[in-house]
Structures are given as C-alpha cells and as structure tokens.
Amino acid sequence: MKTEENIITFINNLEAENQDIECKQCKRNLPKDVWSTYSAFANTHGGKIILGITEIKNIKENKFIITGVENPAKVCDDFWTCISNTNKVNYNLLSNKDVQIEEIEGKSIIIINVPEATHQQKPIYLNNVLTNTYIRLNSADVKVNIEQLQILLRNRNLAQDVGLLKNYTIERDLDLLSIQKYRQHIFEHTHDKKYLDMDILKFLIQMGALKLDYNDNKYYITEGGLLFFGKIDAIINRFPHFHLDYFDRRGNNARWNDRVASDDMSFLNLNLMNYFFLIMEKLQSTIKDDFELEKNLIRKSPENLLVILREALINMIVHADYYVSTSSIIVNVYSNYYEFNNPGMMLVSTEEFIKGGNSCPRNTVIMTLFRRLGLSERAGSGGPEIFDFAITNSFKQPQVETNFKETNIKIWRVDVISTYPNLSKEAKLIFTYIDKNGKNKYTAKELKEELKLSKYVFQRAIKELSDTDLIVITGNGRGRAYSKSLTKLELYVGVQKLADRLRMGN
C-alpha cells in the first residue's frame, strides 16, 4: 500500500475486516482499543491497523469509507508515547518504518504494520497484567484463556521434552521391549555390535533418553525419553492428555477400515517409538494397495511417497505439544490424501516450513532419538521435500494449517482436478490445459479453438470452474481472460521455486 491509488483500490475491495486487517475510526484521539488489536496481531500472525477508516455495517454488506484523522502527527506521537511505556505494553515490536501517514482524497490515514512477535517475545500483553493478552480469531481480538496463555509461555522454551523425571525409573516406567527393538534398529543402521552388548543404562544415556543432573550428579529419564520408550500408564501419569490415533478411511465405509489407538488394549504400550514403526507399516501397506489397484494415483515410485509420509510422520511427532488437551496426534488415510494432525501450533511460519533450513523442533530429545536412527538428519528439510514431491508429480499442493490448538498437514496424491469428481469432462479439459501450459492468462478464443469446444459448452464449463473457484476471470468483453486460482501458499511456493531457479542460474 505505497500509493494513493493502491490504497483506494484496497479500501474499495475490502468487504470485511479479517485476520490481518483492522480498520478503526480515529478523528482526533487514538482509539483505546488499538492496544488489544496490537496485542492480538503480535501474538498471532501480524497484521495492519488502519486509523481513519470507518466501517459502515448494514444487512446487505459492509462498506468502508475514508473519514480521516484530523491531527495525524499528534495521534502518532500519542501512539509512540504509549507503546514505549512498558506499563502500557510489555514489548514494542515497531520501528519508525512500521507507522506511516498517508494522504488519501485530501484526508489523512495512519497505517500501522504490526509484525508477529517471536516465540521468545510472546505473550505481548497490556497494562502490566499477563492475562491481558489477546489473540486474533478471524476479525476479533479475543482475550486468551488460561490454557492459551500457558501455551504462549511454554512456547518460549523451544525444548519442551528435556525435563528430568526424578521419580521415574527404567525398570518400572520404561518398556524394555521397546528399548530392545530400538537397539536392534540402531544396530541395523550403524552395523556396530557395541550397541547390542551395551548395558541398558549406558545405551539410553548415549542415545540421549537419559540426561545428567549436575546438581546431584545422577542420570534421570527425560520427558522425551518417557514419551518415546515409556509404558503407557507412566506416560499418561506425566502427560494426562497423551493420545495416539490412526485411521484408514479409504472407500465408502461409514467409519473406518483400520484403526490404531493408544488406549486400545490390542496395542500394548503404544509409546512414540512403537507408534512410529507401526504406522510406517500401515502407510506402506496403503501405498502398495493403491499402487497395485489404482496406478493412476501414484505416478512415481511408491518409495518416494513413503519417504515423504515418513517425513510428515516424524514432523508431527517431534513438533507436538504433549501438554495440550484440545487435540491428539492423529494420522488419517483417505482415498486421495493423507492427513497428519498434532496438538500445538507450528513454531515456524508456514513460509519457513516450505523454505526449510529452520527446524525449530518442540521436542529435541525425541528428534535426537530419530536422528540416531538416520531419520530426519537434515534439519528443516521435511517441508521442502513434501512440497517438492507434490510439484514433481503435479499433485495438488500440500495444505498446512496451524493455530493454538493444533497443526494439520494434508499431503495429496492426486492432481487438483481429481479432487473435483463431479466436474464435467469439458471443465476438466479446460482446467488441465490452463494448469499444464504455464501461461498466466488465456482468452476464450484461444481455449475454444485449442480444445475444439462450442461456445455453449465452453461457457457452461467455465461457469463450473468459476463456481468451484478453480479459475479466476478478469476483464470484460474481448479483454476477458481466464487463469488458474492460486492460494497464498501456492503463490509462495511458486515464488520460492522461481527464486531457486534464478539462484542456480537456470
């Protein structure tokens, strides 16, 4: 929003305030509720506060008009005075470039760009009261509840599974069979017999499941070690909300074809290690089934998909917040995609996850135990590999959603058009042509001639694609053009791939 024309266009197209835009009337004085919005944006994903824009609400639609700020310099001074006062706001995230005065149609508005705070800076709260912490939910600034506040405070510590459990013992609380299985996997990875002969205490110390307390010079089970190797009763005692699930929901079964659950007596001591290896077997089986029965679903070797699913599974386990009560670790298998859900928000942004290089695992002990097996050796590589797999195979882009409650990743194994089975063959033909040929825009004449479609069939198919938001229509008359709809995530992935090609000189 650098020019008057851009800002006017933005305001005219603004239908409602949303997660990252907040407009406030501000004739003479700084609105009091600007601070709850500042806190909410800082604690969520950032956003813009625009002072001098008034929202007019009616039954049919919301409308925004420029009412202006009469003395913008004074309002800005008041803003800087307050935000610099730690009794008002505990942390100032802004610099001069983040607050700008713009002249629009002869009126002044103030644009305040609020970045997201780092996890170490959160929570951003008001009036020296920790519970005066806000988050952004859609277009509302909402005061956090106790559990949300605890999450913000807990996320300051990027290693949540390193706590020492001084009242827990190897013999009583860890599953010795799980440790033996892990020991065998270590041997198969390293081909070093010393790991088979090593006594159990020394082995667990070397793997990182036990840590030294320098105060009493004794080794204790870590929280990550308990989650990974523990007996289920011991895990639940420490983590009351611990729950692992897996569903195979392929086909038309109203419930599921197969299920694994940590509270099912069929799966004794389903700790994280046992869960990982069991679910990998289940996932491998689903790929084999589909590769044999529905070869169009898997265009490359099924082993490539299995590697991606392994990365997603490990990512889900090592980034989960095992203290959160509102969600569980769940893997769902559907006919067209896999879904990985873990409690807790992702500690990196979606863009950082796609770009890679910054892993930021919530559970460093668990991550170390996976790396000892030669899994996830490159920090922050899982996200790029997941998205590269989709691009290479022309599959629908993975979907990543994260909030205070949970993180959800969907990995598709079909192209976009296959997720809309009810489209006509002509609509599918048009979309596939637009998708595959790489141009930004196509004219009606070009599409009709190239695909040999009548005017009536073309218009009917275009309406289908527009109604399902698969294409965007711009312009009018002969200037009308058609292009593929892209989500913010897809646009970012495209920019990243272009930047990579330019960096490599291609």
Side-chain angles (χ1 to χ4, degrees):
M1 296 194 299
K2 293 182 179 180
T3 67
E4 180 174 345
E5 182 180 349
N6 287 341
I7 296 172
I8 292 173
T9 301
F10 167 79
I11 294 169
N12 289 338
N13 291 333
L14 189 63
E15 297 179 357
E17 293 171 327
N18 53 43
Q19 190 171 22
D20 51 16
I21 297 291
E22 176 76 20
C23 298
K24 295 184 183 294
Q25 185 175 2
C26 177
K27 291 294 286 183
R28 299 179 183 85
N29 299 309
L30 187 68
K32 293 181 179 179
D33 62 354
V34 74
W35 300 114
S36 58
T37 302
Y38 169 78
S39 169
F41 280 157
N43 288 320
T44 313
H45 300 299
K48 293 185 184 297
I49 303 171
I50 307 177
L51 305 181
I53 304 292
T54 301
E55 181 180 12
I56 307 298
K57 296 183 179 182
N58 56 48
I59 297 175
K60 292 184 178 180
E61 63 179 357
N62 293 355
K63 184 178 180 181
F64 292 83
I65 60 174
I66 303 169
T67 49
V69 181
E70 291 185 0
N71 192 344
K74 176 184 178 300
V75 171
C76 284
D77 287 343
D78 291 344
F79 178 82
W80 285 117
T81 298
C82 288
I83 202 171
S84 301
N85 180 0
T86 54
N87 290 321
K88 183 62 183 178
V89 180
N90 69 309
Y91 203 97
N92 174 20
L93 299 167
L94 308 187
S95 60
N96 287 333
K97 65 179 176 60
D98 293 313
V99 180
Q100 300 293 326
I101 299 173
E102 299 284 353
E103 293 295 323
I104 308 297
E105 297 178 343
K107 296 177 182 178
S108 297
I109 65 170
I110 300 172
I111 302 173
I112 303 170
N113 181 57
V114 183
E116 180 181 357
T118 67
H119 290 290
Q120 287 74 27
Q121 292 167 337
K122 295 177 183 178
I124 304 300
Y125 56 91
L126 310 177
N127 303 323
N128 264 337
V129 179
L130 193 58
T131 53
N132 283 343
T133 297
Y134 292 81
I135 56 174
R136 190 76 169 178
L137 296 178
N138 295 321
S139 62
D141 304 325
V142 179
K143 188 178 284 191
V144 295
N145 58 36
I146 294 299
E147 183 172 43
Q148 290 167 334
L149 182 59
Q150 289 172 341
I151 290 171
L152 287 169
L153 293 171
R154 194 160 59 245
N155 285 347
R156 286 179 170 183
N157 178 11
L158 299 183
Q160 293 184 7
D161 65 342
V162 297
L164 302 181
L165 304 175
K166 297 192 174 184
N167 294 323
Y168 286 68
T169 66
I170 295 173
E171 294 76 13
R172 184 190 65 198
D173 300 309
L174 298 188
D175 178 38
L176 299 184
L177 183 58
S178 296
I179 298 170
Q180 188 58 36
K181 289 180 181 177
Y182 183 82
R183 190 198 295 263
Q184 183 64 34
H185 285 296
I186 289 291
F187 169 69
E188 291 171 0
H189 173 61
T190 64
H191 305 291
D192 192 335
K193 283 195 66 177
K194 73 178 181 182
Y195 294 112
L196 296 178
D197 301 330
M198 196 178 291
D199 74 73
I200 193 168
L201 177 63
K202 186 176 180 181
F203 177 76
L204 291 174
I205 291 171
Q206 189 155 343
M207 293 301 103
L210 271 65
K211 298 287 187 184
L212 179 66
D213 185 336
Y214 284 90
N215 293 318
D216 60 13
N217 206 36
K218 293 181 181 179
Y219 283 93
Y220 297 97
I221 301 170
T222 60
E223 291 175 314
L226 177 68
L227 287 163
F228 204 80
F229 294 119
K231 295 178 180 177
I232 193 66
D233 289 342
I235 295 174
I236 296 296
N237 181 266
R238 181 65 179 183
F239 301 93
H241 309 296
F242 179 84
H243 187 73
L244 309 174
D245 241 325
Y246 167 88
F247 294 92
D248 183 345
R249 301 181 185 274
R250 292 174 298 167
N252 298 319
N253 194 321
R255 299 181 70 198
W256 57 78
N257 302 316
D258 187 19
R259 186 187 181 188
V260 173
S262 55
D263 56 2
D264 189 331
M265 293 301 293
S266 302
F267 304 100
L268 188 62
N269 291 325
L270 195 63
N271 50 42
L272 293 181
M273 194 213 74
N274 288 330
Y275 178 77
F276 170 76
F277 285 106
L278 177 58
I279 300 310
M280 283 305 301
E281 289 178 10
K282 298 284 186 182
L283 293 174
Q284 187 171 21
S285 176
T286 66
I287 294 172
K288 183 180 179 181
D289 292 344
D290 289 333
F291 189 66
E292 291 176 348
L293 299 176
E294 302 177 55
K295 291 183 179 180
N296 62 307
L297 289 177
I298 310 295
R299 299 181 186 177
K300 285 192 82 176
S301 167
E303 285 77 14
N304 292 322
L305 177 56
L306 187 63
V307 170
I308 296 307
L309 297 179
R310 185 190 69 196
E311 289 294 326
L313 182 60
I314 293 174
N315 178 83
M316 176 186 69
I317 291 171
V318 302
H319 290 90
D321 185 340
Y322 293 97
Y323 288 97
V324 171
S325 65
T326 51
S327 182
S328 303
I329 279 188
I330 306 175
V331 177
N332 284 300
V333 180
Y334 295 92
S335 297
N336 288 338
Y337 65 92
Y338 295 87
E339 184 179 57
F340 297 84
N341 193 91
N342 65 263
M345 67 166 29
M346 202 156 50
L347 295 181
V348 297
S349 67
T350 303
E351 290 78 11
E352 288 175 305
F353 177 73
I354 297 169
K355 185 177 181 180
N358 182 20
S359 179
C360 224
R362 183 177 267 113
N363 301 291
T364 56
V365 172
I366 297 171
M367 175 63 87
T368 298
L369 289 166
F370 277 120
R371 286 179 180 162
R372 294 278 192 263
L373 295 170
L375 304 173
S376 290
E377 291 182 325
R378 292 187 296 132
S381 63
E385 289 179 358
I386 289 170
F387 278 85
D388 285 345
F389 176 80
I391 293 169
T392 300
N393 291 276
S394 299
F395 288 162
K396 184 174 180 177
Q397 289 286 334
Q399 294 167 258
V400 182
E401 297 179 2
T402 184
N403 53 48
F404 272 83
K405 176 183 175 182
E406 60 195 356
T407 297
N408 184 280
I409 297 177
K410 289 181 182 176
I411 298 176
W412 296 83
R413 50 182 178 174
V414 294
D415 56 20
V416 173
I417 206 65
S418 298
T419 64
Y420 293 87
N422 296 325
L423 286 177
S424 67
K425 64 179 182 180
E426 294 83 9
K428 291 180 179 179
L429 186 65
I430 293 172
F431 180 85
T432 301
Y433 182 82
I434 292 175
D435 187 34
K436 302 297 182 186
N437 283 277
K439 282 177 57 177
N440 290 330
K441 293 183 179 181
Y442 298 82
T443 64
K445 180 181 178 181
E446 179 182 1
L447 292 171
K448 285 187 289 187
E449 290 180 355
E450 189 67 31
L451 301 175
K452 297 180 174 54
L453 298 173
S454 68
K455 180 179 179 181
Y456 170 75
V457 170
F458 173 78
Q459 289 178 339
R460 185 186 63 189
I462 284 294
K463 185 177 186 306
E464 287 184 71
L465 294 171
S466 177
D467 289 345
T468 52
D469 293 324
L470 282 170
I471 64 167
V472 176
I473 304 174
T474 55
N476 295 298
R478 292 185 178 180
R480 177 166 290 185
Y482 307 91
S483 57
K484 178 184 174 183
S485 296
L486 295 174
T487 64
K488 288 182 180 180
L489 206 57
E490 289 173 317
L491 287 169
Y492 182 81
V493 171
V495 170
Q496 281 296 118
K497 300 305 291 184
L498 177 59
D500 291 342
R501 288 198 296 270
L502 291 174
R503 188 164 53 249
M504 297 175 67
N506 294 328

